[in-house]
């Protein structure tokens, strides 16, 4: 009997024996082909994006509450001008005439719908536009429609150090760091002035290099009159180093930087200073150094500026927040910039961790009325309070109820009115959908400004009189409208068209509402299924997890034609889910704190019960074949899933996980776990480390990490590798040389390996060999 016939007989015998045993394979084990992968690849963003037209509006504001934006169309793109005050929308200029004029001036050949630029600048009289194209600067008259090289265009100004700068409000000065000291440059003359003189290595001014965030851009806040700077001298002299080495021929290059860990005696500290720029003079604030902490994220510069600082409008006082090392205490303080005297006004203390908002700090200093707007979860939900700065006492609670404010966007001190984003207030709607509201300081006249059901992205005009509301759902494309500050619709701007995308086979994912581990609390997620789903078949389910607690698995609840590779992965024969579990933000304080002190929870009990509920509702889900994958915190959660629930999760891919938070940056762990406490030879961090449970592995696990990951150093994964080896466990390991946390150019390789791993180990068949994923530009964009 030849081998081919023997294999057929063996396969037939397998089916007979399986049937007798009461088991039949879910589907034939036909190897996947390159065509199958190509079909899946069509659902990645670089293929879906070009099929979407009239997307959300990204405004470029001009004087007089006007703005322009660029929007994609089937033919290419359009530039639109909007006059908010008049409520008008029209073409910004005649694109065909501009293309003809540019073609004549440059010798090239351009089309109106495919102009060779995406950014431009209008002259103050609105009579001309300036842009870069064909490696030259151009200025085109949009009345006469003539173009010429823009000889007035200047290269970046000379600035000695070549370092990034922070401009003053009046545009006349630019601050930068040189030699660990702060300098300013006169933008008219390029004259440089040294502001500080005692900055040295690891004790420099305005430096942003604590932990994995490393930047040469100075961290500071200019006063409104452009005469003073609020900043700090950062002390890292005794902070421990982290080390990485490159992979190359010959001796590796050592990379060392300051990277404190939980429990370290010394962490980055900041001594706050005010700098009088014209003198120059350094005024040190009269208080002990603060921990390098913020009320909203892992750094003191979350928003791109020096967070938790606000000047008075007349530049006479500075309000700031000092956060304790464990984030449990936040002190509201006011400084006198002339003397350095500091007044402590009030403090907030939390048994877990205090945060001042999501996205940006949502407290406000109101010196004209000697008040402060304060964000707190003290009643169990994120709400606003009005403080009297004379007494340090609460005057009144402004908002209340079982819903959560996420971010304050505007405060009108004169009108005593606040505009903010919040979720969960509207009955019957997804609490993760953000809506926009206004309310008075006294808590009266609370008004919903965005009535349409969906997730609302808000962009305020500089004057605050108008806002652009772009709203959507996971399964509903964007609509963008212009509204005034009272929510009145002034103009319809864009309505996303996905007809070309749908014609190519795309289908919207399914939003799902489930119950958490307690069987009572609603949790929310998104499910992706193959577009050619056969309900009679059985499909493995893959959980794409990010446990937070500073974010969640779904992340953005607005419409996206591609959500990472979730739909693409589903096309290979899987059901893919993303589920927000308890421990994630944007809900109640209790909900967010569910995992406080125990990050090893990783929302996994919620994930498991959610998938069980989905399988009960959708019989095509095969709970005997459950996969899980995630990156960073999701990598930590993936390994924890495979080790702590080995009978439920069968295949896992753990990418760049912070498997032991004693080996991850101090700020994140100490915020969400608490300070490391040693007692009787044990500590509160060790039981949460993945390597402790590695011996429990039963399924197939791939570990991946970049060897130059300076966010989550690769030693986190190597600790798990070491434990698996000692436990004599089989596993797969992928180390990607010389890449950071996001894998950069190797990200497509990692994606393909991820697909292969699930196809081989969860689907039970072979993937095509070494399929190449390759991004491509949107064909609607003309080359410059």
């Amino acid at each position: 009997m030849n081998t081919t016939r023997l294999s057929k007989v063996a396969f037939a015998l397998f089916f007979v024996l399986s049937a007798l045993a009461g088991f039949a394979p879910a589907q034939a084990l036909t190897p996947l082909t390159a065509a199958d992968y190509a079909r899946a690849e069509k659902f990645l963003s670089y293929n879906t994006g070009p099929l979407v037209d009239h997307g959300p509006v990204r405004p470029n504001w001009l004087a007089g509450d006007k703005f322009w934006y660029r929007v994609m169309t089937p033919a290419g793109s359009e530039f639109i001008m909007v006059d908010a005050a008049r409520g008008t929308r029209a073409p910004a200029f005649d694109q065909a005439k501009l293309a003809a004029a540019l073609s004549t001036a440059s010798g090239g050949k351009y089309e109106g719908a495919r102009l060779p630029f995406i950014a431009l600048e209008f002259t103050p009289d609105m009579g001309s536009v300036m842009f870069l194209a064909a490696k030259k600067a151009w200025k085109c008259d949009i009345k006469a429609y003539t173009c010429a090289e823009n000889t007035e265009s200047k290269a970046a100004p000379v600035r000695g150090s070549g370092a990034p700068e922070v401009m003053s409000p009046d545009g006349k000065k630019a601050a930068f760091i040189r030699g660990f000291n702060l300098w300013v440059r006169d933008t008219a003359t390029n004259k440089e002035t040294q502001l500080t003189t005692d900055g040295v290595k690891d004790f420099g001014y305005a430096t942003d290099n604590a932990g994995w965030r490393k930047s040469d851009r100075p961290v500071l806040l200019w006063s409104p009159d452009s005469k003073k700077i609020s900043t700090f001298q950062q002390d890292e002299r005794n902070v421990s180093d982290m080390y990485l080495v490159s992979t190359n021929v010959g001796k590796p290059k050592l990379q060392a930087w300051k990277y404190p860990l939980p429990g370290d005696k010394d962490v980055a500290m900041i001594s706050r200073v005010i700098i009088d720029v014209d003198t120059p003079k350094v005024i040190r604030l009269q208080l002990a150094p603060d921990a390098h902490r913020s009320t909203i994220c892992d750094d003191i510069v979350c928003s791109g500026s020096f967070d938790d600082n606000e000047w008075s409008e007349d530049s006479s006082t500075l309000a700031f927040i000092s956060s304790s090392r464990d984030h449990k205490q936040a002190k509201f303080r006011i400084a006198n910039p002339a003397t350095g005297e500091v007044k402590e006004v009030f403090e907030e203390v939390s048994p877990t961790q205090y945060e001042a908002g999501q996205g940006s700090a949502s407290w406000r200093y109101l010196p004209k009325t000697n008040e402060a707007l304060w964000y707190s979860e003290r009643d169990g939900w994120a709400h606003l309070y009005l403080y009297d700065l004379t007494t340090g006492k609460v005057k009144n609670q402004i908002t209340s109820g079982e819903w959560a404010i996420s971010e304050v966007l505007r405060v009108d001190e004169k009108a005593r009115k606040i505009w903010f984003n919040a979720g969960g207030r509207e009955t019957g709607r997804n609490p993760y959908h953000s809506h926009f509201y206004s309310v008075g300081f006294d808590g009266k006249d609370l008004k919903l400004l965005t009535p349409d059901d969906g997730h609302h992205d808000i962009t305020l005009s500089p004057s605050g009189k108008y806002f652009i509301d772009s709203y959507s759902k996971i399964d509903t494309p964007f609509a963008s409208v212009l509204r005034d500050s009272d929510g009145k619709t002034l103009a319809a701007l864009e309505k996303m068209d996905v007809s070309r995308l749908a014609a190519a086979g795309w289908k919207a994912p399914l939003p799902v509402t489930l119950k958490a581990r307690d069987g009572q609390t609603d949790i929310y997620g998104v499910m992706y299924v193959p577009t050619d789903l056969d309900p009679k078949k059985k499909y493995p389910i893959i959980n794409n997890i990010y446990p937070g607690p500073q974010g969640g698995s779904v992340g953005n609840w607005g419409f996206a034609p591609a959500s990472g590779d979730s739909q693409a992965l589903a096309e290979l024969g899987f059901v893919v889910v993303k589920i927000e579990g308890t421990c994630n933000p944007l809900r109640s304080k209790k909900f967010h704190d569910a995992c406080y002190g125990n990050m090893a929870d990783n929302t996994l009990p919620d994930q498991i019960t959610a998938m069980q509920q989905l399988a009960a509702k959708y019989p095509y889900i095969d709970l005997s074949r459950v996969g899980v994958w995630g990156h960073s915190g999701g990598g930590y959660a993936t390994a924890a899933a495979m080790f702590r629930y080995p009978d439920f999760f069968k295949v896992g891919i753990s990418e760049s996980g912070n498997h032991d938070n004693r080996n991850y940056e101090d700020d994140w762990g100490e915020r969400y776990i608490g300070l490391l406490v040693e007692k009787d030879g044990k500590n509160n961090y060790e039981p949460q480390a993945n390597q402790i449970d590695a011996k429990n592995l039963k399924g197939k696990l791939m570990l991946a990490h970049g060897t130059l990951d300076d966010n989550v150093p690769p030693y986190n994964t190597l600790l798990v590798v070491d434990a698996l080896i000692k436990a004599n466990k089989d596993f797969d390991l992928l180390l990607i040389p010389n890449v950071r946390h996001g894998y950069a150019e190797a990200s497509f390789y990692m994606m393909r390996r991820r697909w292969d791993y699930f196809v081989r180990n969860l689907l039970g068949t072979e993937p095509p060999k070494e399929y190449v994923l390759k991004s491509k530009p949107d064909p609607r964009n003309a080359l410059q």
Side-chain angles (χ1 to χ4, degrees), residues 614-775:
L614 289 172
K617 185 175 182 179
Y618 303 102
Y620 53 78
I621 293 176
D622 183 358
L623 273 191
S624 70
R625 294 182 292 167
V626 179
V628 57
W629 83 271
H631 187 91
S632 193
Y636 174 45
T638 294
M642 297 297 293
F643 300 157
R644 291 171 180 255
Y645 303 93
D647 294 321
F648 185 83
F649 294 97
K650 305 300 173 58
V651 181
I653 301 172
S654 170
E655 300 177 10
S656 305
N658 51 311
H659 299 286
D660 188 331
N661 286 300
R662 291 171 296 180
N663 271 37
Y664 187 45
E665 62 167 324
D666 63 320
D667 186 81
W668 190 90
E670 292 183 347
R671 178 173 201 147
Y672 296 114
I673 300 174
L675 299 179
L676 190 148
V677 179
E678 298 277 358
K679 186 177 181 180
D680 299 328
K682 298 180 180 180
N683 65 70
N684 53 323
Y685 275 60
E686 184 170 358
Q688 303 176 48
N690 275 339
Q691 69 268 19
I692 303 302
D693 298 306
K695 60 183 178 296
N696 298 329
L697 178 65
K698 292 182 180 179
K700 297 287 294 186
L701 174 64
M702 174 190 280
L703 299 164
H705 220 116
T707 65
L708 289 185
D709 190 335
D710 53 0
N711 178 348
V712 180
Y715 315 116
N716 279 270
T717 288
L718 294 179
L719 285 171
V720 175
V721 168
D722 182 55
L724 288 168
I725 291 172
K726 290 176 178 175
N728 195 34
K729 295 292 182 178
D730 291 337
F731 62 96
D732 295 285
L733 176 64
L734 175 60
L735 295 178
I736 308 176
N738 299 327
V739 299
R740 303 292 187 187
H741 195 57
Y743 297 166
E745 66 279 359
S747 60
F748 282 155
Y749 177 81
M750 183 68 238
M751 187 186 298
R752 192 268 292 173
R753 290 293 303 272
R754 185 164 61 243
W755 293 6
D756 289 355
Y757 204 75
F758 282 130
V759 166
R760 185 174 288 117
N761 296 298
L762 199 60
L763 197 59
T765 189
E766 280 300 307
K769 184 174 176 57
E770 297 175 353
Y771 182 85
V772 177
L773 293 166
K774 189 174 182 181
S775 177

Side-chain angles (χ1 to χ4, degrees), residues 271-322:
S271 296
R272 298 176 185 267
V273 300
I274 303 293
I275 299 176
D276 189 317
V277 177
D278 293 335
T279 311
K281 181 181 179 182
V282 177
I283 299 96
R284 294 189 175 273
L285 299 193
Q286 297 172 19
L287 77 164
D290 276 336
H292 181 281
R293 296 291 188 262
S294 161
T295 62
I296 57 171
C297 78
D298 296 351
D299 196 18
I300 53 175
V301 59
C302 304
S303 66
S305 181
F306 186 12
D307 288 320
D308 288 329
N309 282 256
E310 280 195 24
W311 285 96
S312 61
E313 189 176 328
D314 63 3
S315 304
S316 65
T317 55
L318 174 78
F320 63 95
I321 310 297
S322 295

Side-chain angles (χ1 to χ4, degrees), residues 354 372 485 489 598 710 725:
Y354 170 76
S485 60
T489 300
N598 179 27
D710 53 0
I725 291 172

Side-chain angles (χ1 to χ4, degrees), residues 348-367:
E348 174 104 4
V349 178
S350 170
T352 55
Q353 55 100 18
Y354 170 76
E355 58 188 349
Q358 301 291 326
S360 67
S362 289
W363 62 270
R364 294 292 187 274
Y365 178 39
L366 310 172

